[in-house]
Amino acid sequence: MSLVQGYRGAKKIFEDAKANRYALPAVNVTSTSTINASLEAAKEVNSPVIIQFSNSGGAFFLGKSISNASQKASITGAVAAAKYIHEASPLYGIPVLLNTDHAAKKLLPWVDGMIAEGEKFYKTNGRPLFTSHMIDLSEEPLSENIDTCKRYLEKLTKLDMYLELELGVTGGEEDGVDNTGVESSKLYTQPEEVSYAYEELMKVSENFVIAASFGNVHGVYKPGNVKLEPAILKNSQHYIQKKFNTKNNPVNFVFHGGSGSEVAKIREAIDYGVVKMNIDTDIQWAFWDGVRKYYKKNEAFLQSQLGNPTGDDAPNKKYYDGRVWIREGEISIKNRLAQAYEELNGVNRLLLAVGKGGYLKNCASLGEHGLWANIKSVIVGANSQ
Ligand SMILES: [Zn+2]
């Protein structure tokens, strides 16, 4: 049984994360290799994982030669990758949240296409294809951003999914979106904006998380160039808690641009309700760095098909086989992600749900795979919301 979660499973995880002050890494993947490395890391640290596709990541999964007219490649690629993860997840035995990353206004047809596929999937399987989609209309006026988000939230809620939205602009550059020149006030979301979004979205459902800007940027920059202000998140939580008389930390926040961030700031952000931290750039580097180190170490065996220091005709096949050097990249990703889990206080956070349709775990598969020695907590009745 697939271990890809719906909103109900995600909600349990986020509630546990807030109660125990940790967050999960969300990894931008592009291929089976990057997916497998993410699942492997999660299994190794015994915690759930968030896997996500950007628009171009989805297209890359399908293949660079396929035209992306009408978003066809990005839709088909993300859907194919999601189905792959549904199939693979029981063997890794780790709950997975499947998200899609930034969809600006012009990319909404991509989200529409994935929702159409998700509706078909839900009809057949009784569970969502993706756990969540992100819509990033932070460039648009706030009222347009929230009105559009409400429309999508309604659709996603029906599919037991949640919506990730963005308020304020994440700085830096990623996937061809360049916000390096954005004026700095926009990089800090105001409590009134978060409160307005919270109030309006709650009229539809609670199935949302908010990416708020607190000086975070996409990419990795020279130390001192990024000024994170997690207190921005705290101010928003307090504002909403007071205004709507909610429990502590009512909003689930997402930290975009986690690569290269100081651990103290990450931990502070978690204290203020961050449950998910996106990590992309550092994973890209880890992938390459694993291959780079492998090449350096075995350089003399990687110059021709035949001939190396052991003999002029000695074969080098076992050095240049893609499964060997790509694997080194995978291991390097896995190690970097394990570090991220440590920094996020997210090691050994496996949750077990009891009850069929409760999604977090299928008990039958637990016994089968024998992976559950370190289960942290058992949640009964995930099925009943
Ligand atoms: Zn982002």
Side-chain angles (χ1 to χ4, degrees):
M1 191 186 184
S2 169
L3 290 175
V4 174
Q5 304 298 313
Y7 172 67
R8 286 176 300 178
K11 182 183 176 182
K12 297 288 178 195
I13 291 171
F14 293 156
E15 278 175 354
D16 188 66
K18 282 208 275 199
N20 295 295
R21 309 261 158 169
Y22 67 90
L24 292 176
V27 197
N28 279 68
V29 296
T30 52
S31 62
T32 48
S33 270
T34 47
I35 290 168
N36 295 346
S38 306
L39 292 170
E40 186 179 352
K43 182 179 167 187
E44 195 169 289
V45 301
N46 202 40
S47 293
V49 67
I50 305 173
I51 290 179
Q52 59 191 14
F53 310 94
S54 68
N55 180 267
S56 57
F60 186 89
F61 188 90
L62 185 73
K64 286 292 277 181
S65 67
I66 304 298
S67 156
N68 203 15
S70 311
Q71 294 297 321
K72 195 80 180 117
S74 290
I75 295 165
T76 308
V79 166
K83 288 180 176 172
Y84 168 73
I85 295 167
H86 276 273
E87 288 291 322
S89 60
L91 278 76
Y92 285 88
I94 289 298
V96 180
L97 309 188
L98 267 187
N99 181 42
T100 57
D101 211 1
H102 298 270
K105 196 172 179 176
K106 67 173 197 274
L107 293 183
L108 291 179
W110 172 48
V111 178
D112 295 336
M114 292 188 292
I115 291 176
E117 289 296 322
E119 283 167 347
K120 281 191 247 168
F121 189 92
Y122 191 88
K123 243 184 179 160
T124 311
N125 300 286
R127 59 190 300 152
L129 176 57
F130 295 91
T131 313
S132 53
H133 293 306
M134 184 197 184
I135 288 178
D136 177 0
L137 300 181
S138 56
E139 305 254 305
E140 315 303 329
L142 183 64
S143 59
E144 181 185 339
N145 182 354
I146 301 308
D147 285 350
T148 310
C149 284
K150 282 167 82 175
R151 285 209 315 275
Y152 279 93
L153 181 57
E154 209 171 317
K155 290 184 188 182
L156 298 187
T157 302
K158 284 183 189 145
L159 299 172
D160 187 30
M161 292 176 65
Y162 69 87
L163 176 74
E164 180 174 330
L165 63 140
E166 179 143 336
L167 298 171
V169 176
T170 304
E173 201 211 323
E174 187 176 64
D175 272 354
V177 179
D178 188 354
N179 290 330
T180 45
V182 170
E183 61 165 306
S184 60
S185 70
K186 286 222 164 144
L187 303 177
Y188 298 100
T189 307
Q190 299 306 308
E192 293 81 2
E193 289 172 65
V194 184
S195 170
Y196 172 73
Y198 178 86
E199 183 172 14
E200 286 301 309
L201 292 165
M202 284 297 272
K203 290 175 185 169
V204 180
S205 86
E206 58 164 31
N207 301 23
F208 62 89
V209 300
I210 297 178
S213 312
F214 55 104
N216 42 326
V217 296
H218 290 132
V220 171
Y221 300 88
K222 207 168 74 180
N225 281 11
V226 175
K227 199 158 168 38
L228 281 180
E229 301 283 3
I232 299 266
L233 304 176
K234 179 174 74 176
N235 295 343
S236 293
Q237 297 280 24
H238 284 178
Y239 188 96
I240 291 169
Q241 192 181 344
K242 216 171 133 197
K243 185 164 177 190
F244 302 104
N245 196 22
T246 68
K247 61 184 181 189
N248 190 33
N249 281 349
V251 181
N252 290 325
F253 278 126
V254 177
F255 182 164
H256 276 245
S259 293
S261 300
E262 295 162 71
V263 178
K265 297 282 188 180
I266 292 173
R267 292 290 173 96
E268 194 186 344
I270 289 171
D271 283 344
Y272 306 145
V274 164
V275 293
K276 167 186 185 246
M277 185 179 86
N278 292 2
I279 174 162
D280 184 11
T281 311
D282 282 355
I283 298 299
Q284 290 174 342
W285 171 252
F287 197 16
W288 165 245
D289 196 38
V291 176
R292 184 184 68 86
K293 284 182 177 143
Y294 172 79
Y295 178 79
K296 286 266 186 199
K297 190 175 156 204
N298 299 291
E299 200 168 354
F301 298 82
L302 290 164
Q303 302 308 314
S304 55
Q305 283 191 282
L306 298 175
N308 61 46
T310 69
D312 287 351
D313 298 324
N316 292 320
K317 184 172 159 53
K318 66 176 182 190
Y319 291 91
Y320 61 76
D321 182 335
R323 287 168 295 187
V324 177
W325 55 269
I326 292 172
R327 177 64 185 147
E328 294 299 320
E330 291 177 359
I331 292 169
S332 179
I333 289 177
K334 184 196 73 172
N335 292 338
R336 180 60 187 83
L337 257 180
Q339 180 195 329
Y341 273 100
E342 292 278 352
E343 292 173 356
L344 293 165
N345 193 27
V347 174
N348 209 19
R349 300 295 187 177
L350 200 63
L351 289 167
L352 167 66
V354 178
K356 85 173 179 212
Y359 297 171
L360 271 181
K361 285 263 171 281
N362 173 346
C363 286
S365 73
L366 304 187
E368 267 165 44
H369 297 290
L371 291 168
W372 314 110
N374 292 321
I375 287 164
K376 199 84 180 166
S377 50
V378 176
I379 296 172
V380 181
N383 204 16
S384 57
Q385 187 74 307

